Amino acid sequence: MYVVHLPNVSTPLFMKRFILIIVITVLLFTAGSAAWYVIKLHNPHTPVSHAVVAASVTDNVLKEKLNSVAVTANQYAAAHHFSTQFCFLIDMSIASGKNRFFVYSMKKNNVLMTGLVTHGRCNQNFLTGRKYGNTVGCGCTSLGKYSVGKPYQGRFGLAYKLYGLDATNNNAYSRFVVLHSMQCVPEKETEPYPICQSDGCPTVSPGFLQELSLLINNSKQPVLLWIYE
Protein backbone atom coordinates (compact mmCIF):
# COMPACT_ATOMS: atom_id res chain seq x y z
CA MET A 1 0.00 0.00 0.00
CA TYR A 2 1.37 3.40 -1.01
CA VAL A 3 1.27 6.27 1.41
CA VAL A 4 1.25 9.79 -0.02
CA HIS A 5 2.81 12.39 2.21
CA LEU A 6 1.24 15.82 1.74
CA PRO A 7 3.16 18.97 2.56
CA ASN A 8 2.27 20.84 5.68
CA VAL A 9 -0.42 23.14 4.28
CA SER A 10 -0.65 24.98 7.55
CA THR A 11 2.56 26.84 6.89
CA PRO A 12 1.88 30.48 5.91
CA LEU A 13 4.40 30.42 3.02
CA PHE A 14 2.79 27.40 1.38
CA MET A 15 -0.72 28.85 1.70
CA LYS A 16 0.36 32.17 0.18
CA ARG A 17 1.96 30.44 -2.80
CA PHE A 18 -1.03 28.13 -3.24
CA ILE A 19 -3.51 31.02 -3.22
CA LEU A 20 -1.32 33.05 -5.62
CA ILE A 21 -1.18 30.16 -8.11
CA ILE A 22 -4.98 29.75 -7.97
CA VAL A 23 -5.58 33.48 -8.51
CA ILE A 24 -3.15 33.66 -11.48
CA THR A 25 -4.72 30.56 -13.07
CA VAL A 26 -8.24 31.98 -12.77
CA LEU A 27 -7.17 35.36 -14.19
CA LEU A 28 -5.39 33.74 -17.17
CA PHE A 29 -8.37 31.50 -17.91
CA THR A 30 -10.82 34.41 -17.71
CA ALA A 31 -8.68 36.65 -19.93
CA GLY A 32 -8.22 33.89 -22.49
CA SER A 33 -11.93 33.08 -22.58
CA ALA A 34 -12.86 36.74 -22.97
CA ALA A 35 -10.39 37.21 -25.81
CA TRP A 36 -11.72 34.14 -27.62
CA TYR A 37 -15.31 35.36 -27.24
CA VAL A 38 -14.53 38.81 -28.60
CA ILE A 39 -12.48 37.57 -31.55
CA LYS A 40 -14.65 34.67 -32.61
CA LEU A 41 -18.13 35.93 -31.89
CA HIS A 42 -18.02 39.70 -32.21
CA ASN A 43 -15.42 40.37 -34.86
CA PRO A 44 -17.30 41.06 -38.12
CA HIS A 45 -14.18 40.23 -40.10
CA THR A 46 -13.91 36.68 -38.76
CA PRO A 47 -13.76 34.46 -41.87
CA VAL A 48 -16.87 32.34 -42.37
CA SER A 49 -16.81 29.48 -44.83
CA HIS A 50 -19.83 29.31 -47.14
CA ALA A 51 -18.30 26.68 -49.39
CA VAL A 52 -20.62 23.76 -50.12
CA VAL A 53 -20.60 20.89 -52.58
CA ALA A 54 -23.33 20.27 -55.08
CA ALA A 55 -24.51 17.26 -53.08
CA SER A 56 -25.59 19.60 -50.28
CA VAL A 57 -28.43 20.81 -52.53
CA THR A 58 -30.53 17.78 -51.71
CA ASP A 59 -33.90 18.92 -53.05
CA ASN A 60 -34.17 17.27 -56.47
CA VAL A 61 -36.72 19.81 -57.73
CA LEU A 62 -34.40 22.65 -56.69
CA LYS A 63 -31.46 20.91 -58.36
CA GLU A 64 -33.28 20.55 -61.66
CA LYS A 65 -34.50 24.15 -61.57
CA LEU A 66 -31.05 25.45 -60.64
CA ASN A 67 -29.34 23.46 -63.37
CA SER A 68 -31.89 24.57 -65.95
CA VAL A 69 -31.44 28.24 -65.08
CA ALA A 70 -27.65 27.79 -65.09
CA VAL A 71 -27.72 26.42 -68.65
CA THR A 72 -29.59 29.51 -69.87
CA ALA A 73 -27.29 31.76 -67.83
CA ASN A 74 -24.24 30.15 -69.41
CA GLN A 75 -25.61 30.70 -72.91
CA TYR A 76 -26.44 34.32 -72.12
CA ALA A 77 -23.03 34.91 -70.56
CA ALA A 78 -21.21 33.52 -73.58
CA ALA A 79 -23.29 35.61 -76.00
CA HIS A 80 -22.93 38.87 -74.06
CA HIS A 81 -19.31 38.68 -72.91
CA PHE A 82 -19.90 37.84 -69.25
CA SER A 83 -17.77 35.44 -67.26
CA THR A 84 -18.43 31.84 -68.23
CA GLN A 85 -16.56 30.58 -65.18
CA PHE A 86 -19.33 31.26 -62.68
CA CYS A 87 -22.52 33.25 -62.13
CA PHE A 88 -24.73 34.33 -59.23
CA LEU A 89 -28.23 32.84 -59.12
CA ILE A 90 -30.91 33.97 -56.62
CA ASP A 91 -34.09 31.90 -56.37
CA MET A 92 -36.84 34.06 -54.83
CA SER A 93 -39.25 31.12 -54.56
CA ILE A 94 -37.17 29.89 -51.59
CA ALA A 95 -37.95 31.24 -48.11
CA SER A 96 -35.64 34.03 -46.93
CA GLY A 97 -34.45 32.01 -43.94
CA LYS A 98 -32.91 29.41 -46.26
CA ASN A 99 -29.89 29.76 -48.51
CA ARG A 100 -31.12 31.01 -51.88
CA PHE A 101 -28.09 32.87 -53.25
CA PHE A 102 -26.07 30.36 -55.28
CA VAL A 103 -22.59 30.83 -56.70
CA TYR A 104 -22.74 28.43 -59.62
CA SER A 105 -19.73 27.06 -61.50
CA MET A 106 -20.61 26.98 -65.17
CA LYS A 107 -17.48 24.96 -65.87
CA LYS A 108 -18.15 22.21 -63.33
CA ASN A 109 -21.96 22.50 -63.33
CA ASN A 110 -22.22 22.60 -59.56
CA VAL A 111 -22.75 24.95 -56.65
CA LEU A 112 -19.61 26.55 -55.24
CA MET A 113 -21.15 28.55 -52.39
CA THR A 114 -24.55 29.42 -50.98
CA GLY A 115 -25.77 32.13 -48.65
CA LEU A 116 -28.77 34.04 -47.38
CA VAL A 117 -30.04 37.08 -49.27
CA THR A 118 -32.81 39.60 -48.63
CA HIS A 119 -35.69 40.67 -50.83
CA GLY A 120 -37.41 44.05 -51.05
CA ARG A 121 -40.18 44.93 -48.60
CA CYS A 122 -42.01 47.12 -51.15
CA ASN A 123 -42.17 50.03 -48.68
CA GLN A 124 -44.06 47.96 -46.11
CA ASN A 125 -42.90 47.39 -42.54
CA PHE A 126 -42.53 43.72 -43.42
CA LEU A 127 -43.64 42.17 -46.69
CA THR A 128 -45.57 38.91 -46.41
CA GLY A 129 -45.36 36.71 -49.47
CA ARG A 130 -43.68 37.75 -52.71
CA LYS A 131 -44.11 40.96 -54.66
CA TYR A 132 -41.90 42.54 -57.33
CA GLY A 133 -41.54 45.93 -58.93
CA ASN A 134 -39.30 48.06 -61.14
CA THR A 135 -40.47 51.64 -60.67
CA VAL A 136 -38.28 54.17 -58.90
CA GLY A 137 -39.20 54.32 -55.23
CA CYS A 138 -41.17 51.05 -55.15
CA GLY A 139 -38.80 49.36 -52.67
CA CYS A 140 -39.36 45.97 -54.27
CA THR A 141 -37.08 43.30 -55.66
CA SER A 142 -36.85 43.31 -59.46
CA LEU A 143 -36.63 39.96 -61.21
CA GLY A 144 -34.22 39.60 -64.11
CA LYS A 145 -30.58 39.48 -65.11
CA TYR A 146 -28.03 41.98 -63.80
CA SER A 147 -24.47 42.92 -64.60
CA VAL A 148 -22.38 43.27 -61.45
CA GLY A 149 -20.48 46.54 -61.68
CA LYS A 150 -17.46 48.04 -59.97
CA PRO A 151 -17.02 48.08 -56.18
CA TYR A 152 -17.37 51.29 -54.20
CA GLN A 153 -17.73 52.44 -50.60
CA GLY A 154 -21.32 53.50 -49.91
CA ARG A 155 -23.57 54.01 -46.91
CA PHE A 156 -23.42 50.27 -46.19
CA GLY A 157 -19.67 49.98 -46.74
CA LEU A 158 -18.44 47.81 -49.61
CA ALA A 159 -21.04 47.57 -52.37
CA TYR A 160 -21.28 46.69 -56.07
CA LYS A 161 -23.42 48.60 -58.53
CA LEU A 162 -26.00 46.53 -60.40
CA TYR A 163 -27.19 47.20 -63.94
CA GLY A 164 -30.53 45.69 -64.95
CA LEU A 165 -30.46 43.91 -68.30
CA ASP A 166 -34.17 43.12 -68.74
CA ALA A 167 -37.39 45.10 -69.05
CA THR A 168 -38.31 43.90 -65.55
CA ASN A 169 -35.25 45.45 -63.88
CA ASN A 170 -33.90 48.15 -66.21
CA ASN A 171 -34.41 50.82 -63.53
CA ALA A 172 -32.04 49.14 -61.08
CA TYR A 173 -29.32 51.76 -61.43
CA SER A 174 -31.78 54.66 -61.04
CA ARG A 175 -33.27 52.93 -57.98
CA PHE A 176 -29.80 52.54 -56.40
CA VAL A 177 -30.23 48.76 -56.27
CA VAL A 178 -26.80 47.39 -55.36
CA LEU A 179 -25.19 44.25 -53.98
CA HIS A 180 -24.08 44.93 -50.42
CA SER A 181 -24.09 43.44 -46.92
CA MET A 182 -25.73 44.25 -43.59
CA GLN A 183 -25.26 42.89 -40.10
CA CYS A 184 -28.96 41.94 -39.92
CA VAL A 185 -28.34 39.15 -42.45
CA PRO A 186 -27.04 36.07 -40.58
CA GLU A 187 -24.19 33.91 -41.81
CA LYS A 188 -26.26 30.73 -41.43
CA GLU A 189 -29.80 29.66 -42.22
CA THR A 190 -32.60 30.74 -39.86
CA GLU A 191 -35.49 28.71 -41.30
CA PRO A 192 -38.33 28.60 -40.20
CA TYR A 193 -37.68 32.23 -39.24
CA PRO A 194 -37.32 34.90 -41.97
CA ILE A 195 -34.46 37.36 -42.16
CA CYS A 196 -34.57 41.14 -42.51
CA GLN A 197 -35.79 42.80 -45.70
CA SER A 198 -34.34 45.50 -47.92
CA ASP A 199 -35.60 48.30 -50.15
CA GLY A 200 -34.95 46.17 -53.22
CA CYS A 201 -31.25 45.38 -52.90
CA PRO A 202 -30.01 41.78 -52.81
CA THR A 203 -28.35 42.16 -49.40
CA VAL A 204 -26.13 39.41 -47.98
CA SER A 205 -24.19 38.79 -44.78
CA PRO A 206 -20.81 40.51 -44.24
CA GLY A 207 -18.92 37.21 -44.37
CA PHE A 208 -20.62 36.10 -47.57
CA LEU A 209 -19.92 39.44 -49.28
CA GLN A 210 -16.23 39.05 -48.47
CA GLU A 211 -16.17 35.75 -50.34
CA LEU A 212 -18.23 37.09 -53.23
CA SER A 213 -15.92 40.09 -53.55
CA LEU A 214 -12.92 37.80 -54.07
CA LEU A 215 -14.67 36.21 -57.05
CA ILE A 216 -15.93 39.49 -58.50
CA ASN A 217 -12.65 41.36 -58.13
CA ASN A 218 -10.61 38.53 -59.66
CA SER A 219 -12.93 37.95 -62.61
CA LYS A 220 -11.57 39.14 -65.94
CA GLN A 221 -15.11 39.62 -67.29
CA PRO A 222 -18.28 41.06 -65.73
CA VAL A 223 -20.23 38.68 -63.52
CA LEU A 224 -23.84 37.82 -64.34
CA LEU A 225 -26.35 37.90 -61.47
CA TRP A 226 -29.83 36.53 -62.11
CA ILE A 227 -32.79 36.96 -59.74
CA TYR A 228 -35.64 34.64 -60.68
CA GLU A 229 -38.64 32.90 -59.18
Side-chain angles (χ1 to χ4, degrees):
M1 178 177 181
Y2 292 99
V3 178
V4 179
H5 296 280
L6 296 175
N8 185 359
V9 296
S10 62
T11 61
L13 180 60
F14 177 84
M15 289 301 295
K16 288 181 180 179
R17 289 179 176 176
F18 182 74
I19 294 173
L20 181 60
I21 291 173
I22 293 299
V23 171
I24 293 174
T25 302
V26 171
L27 289 175
L28 289 175
F29 177 80
T30 303
S33 300
W36 181 90
Y37 182 84
V38 170
I39 293 173
K40 294 296 183 182
L41 300 184
H42 285 279
N43 185 354
H45 301 295
T46 300
V48 177
S49 176
H50 291 264
V52 295
V53 293
S56 67
V57 183
T58 55
D59 188 319
N60 289 330
V61 175
L62 173 59
K63 273 187 180 181
E64 292 180 6
K65 182 180 179 182
L66 190 60
N67 292 337
S68 176
V69 172
V71 168
T72 304
N74 195 2
Q75 295 171 347
Y76 185 92
H80 295 85
H81 309 290
F82 285 91
S83 171
T84 54
Q85 298 295 316
F86 63 91
C87 62
F88 299 156
L89 304 177
I90 299 176
D91 188 342
M92 282 295 160
S93 69
I94 301 173
S96 68
K98 298 184 69 174
N99 291 334
R100 56 182 180 176
F101 190 125
F102 303 93
V103 179
Y104 196 93
S105 170
M106 293 186 283
K107 291 297 183 183
K108 298 181 180 180
N109 295 319
N110 65 3
V111 175
L112 298 177
M113 290 185 289
T114 63
L116 297 173
V117 62
T118 65
H119 58 260
R121 59 191 176 94
C122 297
N123 297 330
Q124 298 182 27
N125 290 330
F126 194 87
L127 177 66
T128 301
R130 298 190 296 274
K131 185 178 178 181
Y132 308 106
N134 186 39
T135 59
V136 176
C138 70
C140 299
T141 291
S142 296
L143 299 179
K145 305 179 192 70
Y146 296 81
S147 174
V148 179
K150 300 293 184 181
Y152 71 99
Q153 291 294 321
R155 57 181 294 199
F156 302 109
L158 175 64
Y160 291 85
K161 293 183 180 295
L162 294 177
Y163 302 89
L165 304 173
D166 297 320
T168 53
N169 66 352
N170 57 9
N171 286 326
Y173 186 83
S174 300
R175 295 179 54 209
F176 302 102
V177 173
V178 300
L179 174 63
H180 67 90
S181 71
M182 284 192 70
Q183 292 290 344
C184 69
V185 182
E187 301 290 351
K188 295 182 179 180
E189 292 183 326
T190 62
E191 181 71 10
Y193 305 105
I195 63 172
C196 57
Q197 298 181 348
S198 69
D199 288 329
C201 295
T203 307
V204 298
S205 68
F208 195 33
L209 184 63
Q210 286 182 20
E211 299 195 41
L212 295 178
S213 66
L214 293 176
L215 295 172
I216 299 171
N217 296 344
N218 290 322
S219 178
K220 295 180 180 179
Q221 294 177 295
V223 177
L224 178 66
L225 182 150
W226 191 354
I227 302 177
Y228 59 94
E229 186 181 45

